Amino acid sequence: MKKIMIAGAGGAPSEGVINSLLKSGNEIIYGLGSEPTDLILSNAERKFFVPYADTIEYKPALLKILNEQKPDLLHFQNDLEIFHASLFRDEILKTGVKLFMPEHNVIDTCVHKHKSYEAFKNAGVKVPRNIFINNEEDLKQSFIELADNNGKIWLRASSIGGGGKGAIPTSDYALAKSWIDHYNGWGDFVAAEMLCADTITWLSIWHNGELVVAQTRARKGWTHGNRSISGVTGVTKVGVTCSDDLVSKIAIETVKSVSDKPHGIFGVDMAYDKGGIPNPTEINISRFFTTVQFFTEAGLNMPEIFKDIALYNKFPTLNKVINPLPNDLLWLRGMDTKPKLMTADEIESGIIF
């Protein structure tokens, strides 16, 4: 029986993948993680501790585990680990394990937000204007050139990290300066034009330049968003399946702006501008989003498709490659409670009360 090792085990992004793979039932699922308390909670069948990916201990520890356990497929679920493991992927592959991920230059572009912004812009994809903040003059110029009618700009870190890392909307120069000072973020932070609160995500799997499957999901709020200064936490509260030809067109253009031959997982995050056009804000590269189990429970098991291609060169038979799921399915999430798949009609009819 083949073995699949999923990194970040116990965390929400990885557990959705693990639970999806366990539903397919044909492989042994190993969990790999750097947080012992998370590992304890993981549904993986066997669990292994590894140091954080940005430490010198990570590489030898990971290679030792791979050489001893001999998994058939290894998959990562956070940007930091994806980036650092990709740097020594040749040594990983020498252990006999398979990887299904894009080239390192694609990963490097996507995990650094200003690099991806430049790639999107150079390809002609509509994006909010960005200014890289190297010094106070750049910040002052950002307020002059980018502020909306309320005087606001959007600040965020460009370096590796999810969950709206360092994000803040503000019209206050003094606050913006203090914010960047706090994060030691000069030469890392980016200022951007404000977009609307409405966001949408297009999750896709590609193989050697061919699109295998893609599904769109809109976001109806962030869990604990009222506890974040930006309103963004990276944790979707309610997701809803949807389809929009314009979203798909822009998402495909966005993916192809960073790779001539897309391979692996590309999740395009978009926010709408005031004209109603979805603008890409980032590509979540080589990983599924946190709510991937939503699609699995709805009938589209993307982690299963991913491992079938990687391990068996088996491709899915789908009624549609883009948005095979019906529209208006809802995935309700909360802390310390089991997610629930619903429809809007069920909620409106009071079936859950």
Side-chain angles (χ1 to χ4, degrees), residues 23 52 64 77 82 119 187 193 197 200 208 213 220 229 259 262 272 297 305:
K23 287 179 73 71
Y52 278 104
K64 182 174 186 291
Q77 271 292 113
I82 290 165
E193 296 173 312
I200 198 161
N208 291 331
V213 62
K220 303 297 183 183
I229 193 168
S259 178
Y272 287 88
E297 298 297 331
I305 292 171

Side-chain angles (χ1 to χ4, degrees), residues 194-334:
M194 293 291 295
L195 294 171
C196 299
D198 293 337
T199 60
I200 198 161
T201 294
W202 194 85
L203 183 63
S204 62
I205 300 174
W206 299 72
H207 185 265
N208 291 331
E210 297 295 323
L211 178 61
V212 176
V213 62
Q215 179 61 50
T216 311
R217 180 214 65 186
R219 179 183 294 108
K220 303 297 183 183
W222 300 97
T223 296
H224 302 314
N226 61 349
R227 290 175 170 81
S228 166
I229 193 168
S230 67
V232 174
T233 63
V235 183
T236 298
K237 183 175 183 179
V238 178
V240 55
T241 54
C242 56
S243 57
D244 184 314
D245 290 343
L246 180 60
V247 168
S248 296
K249 176 179 180 294
I250 292 173
I252 291 170
E253 291 172 352
T254 302
V255 170
K256 291 187 175 180
S257 75
V258 300
S259 178
D260 294 331
K261 196 174 184 180
H263 188 69
I265 305 163
F266 290 72
V268 184
D269 277 355
M270 291 171 271
Y272 287 88
D273 62 23
K274 291 178 174 60
I277 305 299
N279 287 213
T281 55
E282 64 183 329
I283 293 177
N284 295 308
I285 193 67
S286 200
R287 61 181 174 89
F288 296 105
F289 56 37
T290 305
T291 55
V292 69
Q293 193 175 343
F294 171 21
F295 293 169
T296 298
E297 298 297 331
L300 179 66
N301 191 330
M302 293 181 81
E304 181 178 35
I305 292 171
F306 177 84
K307 64 90 177 174
D308 281 347
I309 295 171
L311 289 177
Y312 312 112
N313 199 36
K314 176 185 173 184
F315 292 81
T317 301
L318 300 166
N319 61 321
K320 291 191 298 182
V321 169
I322 298 177
N323 296 323
L325 289 176
N327 292 338
D328 300 323
L329 298 177
L330 299 173
W331 188 243
L332 281 58
R333 303 173 72 221

Side-chain angles (χ1 to χ4, degrees), residues 29-164:
I29 310 302
Y30 288 1
L32 185 74
S34 305
E35 286 287 342
T37 53
D38 285 351
L39 276 173
I40 290 169
L41 296 173
S42 175
N43 288 324
E45 294 163 87
R46 295 192 63 191
K47 306 167 192 180
F48 301 89
F49 175 81
V50 67
Y52 278 104
D54 57 352
T55 66
I56 60 172
E57 295 85 7
Y58 175 74
K59 177 179 173 179
L62 176 61
L63 293 175
K64 182 174 186 291
I65 291 169
L66 295 178
N67 278 308
E68 291 177 350
Q69 301 304 320
K70 299 294 183 184
D72 298 280
L73 175 64
L74 173 62
H75 174 66
F76 307 98
Q77 271 292 113
N78 73 76
D79 287 347
L80 188 72
E81 197 161 12
I82 290 165
F83 177 80
H84 285 282
S86 176
L87 288 170
F88 62 96
R89 66 170 70 192
D90 289 344
E91 292 172 78
I92 290 173
L93 291 169
K94 285 178 182 177
T95 68
V97 70
K98 291 184 177 181
L99 297 171
F100 186 3
M101 59 198 308
E103 299 166 339
H104 183 74
N105 68 299
V106 176
I107 290 172
D108 180 64
T109 297
C110 292
V111 300
H112 293 96
K113 294 178 179 62
H114 194 66
K115 289 183 180 181
S116 55
Y117 160 76
E118 291 287 349
F120 303 161
K121 182 182 70 172
N122 291 339
V125 178
K126 192 175 187 305
V127 287
R129 188 180 170 200
N130 279 216
I131 294 177
F132 203 73
I133 309 298
N134 289 303
N135 49 51
E136 291 182 39
E137 287 305 313
D138 291 336
L139 182 59
K140 291 175 183 176
Q141 198 64 29
S142 297
F143 278 97
I144 294 170
E145 297 185 22
L146 305 181
D148 65 10
N149 292 336
N150 296 314
K152 284 187 177 182
I153 62 171
W154 182 265
L155 285 176
R156 66 174 180 172
S158 175
S159 55
I160 301 172

